[in-house]
Amino acid sequence: AQSVTQLGSHVSVSEGALVLLRCNYSSSVPPYLFWYVQYPNQGLQLLLKYTSAATLVKGINGFEAEFKKSETSFHLTKPSAHMSDAAEYFCAVSDQGSNYKLTFGKGTLLTVNP
Amino acid sequence: EAGVTQFPSHSVIEKGQTVTLRCDPISGHDNLYWYRRVMGKEIKFLLHFVKESKQDESGMPNNRFLAERTGGTYSTLKVQPAELEDSGVYFCASSRDTYYGYTFGSGTRLTVV
């Protein structure tokens, strides 16, 4: 069975600081990995995805994530946080054999302080 | 293109009542998924339609939940009778026949009191 662990339910950074949101996964087959973001009162928006191509994936709004098979990790980073990045972030995993059914982590709430 | 539309956005009902949630996927998207997030927990898969057929309903909690997809277009999720533990946010998502990423709706926040 697949599972996703997001370390830290709440991360707080200062504006301009590095954003690092951690995600570790377990999967019995090569996974597809995703980061979604949910802004207040909005739906889930896809930030980026890894589907076995380049291990460093660039997404929208300056975010990127690196797939590290040896560490079973897919951490999300952004060099400089903006106030508009404040939202909840979800890491998810799926595989082709599950018809792309997503298994989500519990989410990390990012707060950006001025 | 229009996104995935869900309504109502919020619903407050009493325990024992019936509620029906609706999802309109993006036109042409054969795959439709329902997910749920109970407060404090992770978002969990409920079921998957391919056109009008249920491909996978392994995540449906119990037989109080009934999902339908009329003619492969919009989908409804009925909870009858609702219980307190059914409270949460219900998300719908759709995608084309080959995977390239879901598009999620804004969700329906269901509160059972």
Side-chain angles (χ1 to χ4, degrees), chain B residues 32-86:
Chain B
L32 188 149
Y33 304 81
W34 284 96
Y35 285 80
R36 176 176 76 167
R37 189 184 192 193
V38 172
M39 186 176 292
K41 301 286 183 69
E42 54 272 276
I43 301 167
K44 288 199 171 179
F45 169 83
L46 294 179
L47 85 159
H48 169 209
F49 285 99
V50 177
K51 297 185 179 178
E52 67 275 11
S53 299
K54 291 177 186 174
Q55 188 75 14
D56 179 353
E57 52 184 330
S58 61
M60 294 288 266
N62 51 60
N63 59 11
R64 294 186 294 103
F65 289 75
L66 175 64
E68 295 179 324
R69 189 176 183 191
T70 304
T73 57
Y74 71 91
S75 175
T76 57
L77 180 64
K78 181 189 287 187
V79 185
Q80 180 183 28
E83 298 289 346
L84 297 178
E85 63 264 26
D86 300 332

Side-chain angles (χ1 to χ4, degrees), chain A residues 25-44:
Chain A
Y25 70 91
S26 68
S27 176
S28 58
V29 297
Y32 292 170
L33 293 158
F34 308 86
W35 277 98
Y36 283 87
V37 60
Q38 186 179 22
Y39 298 103
N41 300 316
Q42 296 186 29
L44 293 164

Side-chain angles (χ1 to χ4, degrees), chain A residues 23 33-35 48 50 57 65-67 72-76:
Chain A
C23 173
L33 293 158
F34 308 86
W35 277 98
L48 50 81
Y50 166 78
V57 182
E66 186 173 8
F67 171 66
T72 61
S73 69
F74 191 57
H75 301 331
L76 181 71

Side-chain angles (χ1 to χ4, degrees), chain A residues 8-111:
Chain A
S9 59
H10 189 188
V11 170
S12 182
V13 300
S14 298
E15 192 173 19
L18 171 72
V19 175
L20 170 61
L21 304 182
R22 299 178 186 274
C23 173
N24 290 87
Y25 70 91
S26 68
S27 176
S28 58
V29 297
Y32 292 170
L33 293 158
F34 308 86
W35 277 98
Y36 283 87
V37 60
Q38 186 179 22
Y39 298 103
N41 300 316
Q42 296 186 29
L44 293 164
Q45 181 180 2
L46 180 66
L47 268 181
L48 50 81
K49 65 176 181 177
Y50 166 78
T51 55
S52 71
T55 56
L56 181 63
V57 182
K58 294 187 183 298
I60 61 172
N61 300 339
F63 284 93
E64 63 181 37
E66 186 173 8
F67 171 66
K68 291 188 177 181
K69 184 177 179 181
S70 61
E71 299 177 8
T72 61
S73 69
F74 191 57
H75 301 331
L76 181 71
T77 60
K78 181 174 180 177
S80 177
H82 295 161
M83 297 295 291
S84 59
D85 294 327
E88 191 163 19
Y89 292 79
F90 298 90
C91 182
V93 63
S94 77
D95 64 74
Q96 283 184 291
S98 67
N99 283 305
Y100 309 116
K101 178 170 63 179
L102 294 174
T103 300
F104 284 88
K106 289 189 175 183
T108 298
L109 183 64
L110 176 67
T111 301

